[in-house]
Amino acid sequence: MATTESRGPAIDVGSLSGLHWVGIAAALITAAVHIRLGVGGLPLPLRISFLLAGFGFLGAVVLVLLDYRRRAVYAVGIPFTLVQIVLWYVFNFAGGGKSFPADVGTLGAVDKVAQVVLIAVLVLLLRR
């Protein structure tokens, strides 16, 4: 009697290019920054939004690794990441008392560079 083995989702790294890995690294960096800030001393509503954003980036990485609707992940990732950049600028510089670029800070600079790289990678992947 034949037995069937049910397999769950499997990671598919064979179909990932160097460009994918750059995007994954950028997404992991921005996820780490958001989660770090989310568990930090921010007011509760901001903590929750930072944690959700961080886990959103992590979830997207998992979906790409599983080869689950990658093009949709790329398409959603572009505006998701753009909104992160715009909100960061509005809350910190347009509506806050900080001066751009003098008050960006190391963590902010690392995060925004990672996000700009991520957007560029997502656009390139989507155009393939």
Side-chain angles (χ1 to χ4, degrees):
M1 183 170 181
T3 60
T4 57
E5 183 179 325
S6 66
R7 292 185 179 170
I11 293 177
D12 178 20
V13 295
S15 62
L16 297 174
S17 68
L19 190 60
H20 284 99
W21 289 110
V22 170
I24 288 169
L28 290 175
I29 289 168
T30 193
V33 169
H34 280 82
I35 292 169
R36 160 66 177 85
L37 292 171
V39 297
L42 296 172
L44 186 60
L46 277 179
R47 267 192 280 166
I48 292 169
S49 66
F50 273 78
L51 288 171
L52 289 173
F55 290 125
F57 284 112
L58 285 179
V61 168
V62 169
L63 292 175
V64 168
L65 290 173
L66 293 174
D67 194 13
Y68 182 79
R69 301 189 63 178
R70 284 184 183 160
R71 291 188 59 78
V73 174
Y74 309 153
V76 170
I78 295 166
F80 180 78
T81 308
L82 278 171
V83 166
Q84 301 287 321
I85 293 170
V86 170
L87 288 175
W88 168 79
Y89 181 80
V90 168
F91 283 121
N92 286 291
F93 303 104
K98 295 182 180 179
S99 172
F100 185 83
D103 295 328
V104 170
T106 304
L107 205 53
V110 167
D111 184 43
K112 295 313 144 201
V113 168
Q115 288 181 341
V116 169
V117 167
L118 179 58
I119 291 169
V121 167
L122 292 173
V123 167
L124 292 171
L125 290 170
L126 197 56
R127 296 185 90 194
R128 283 184 170 179

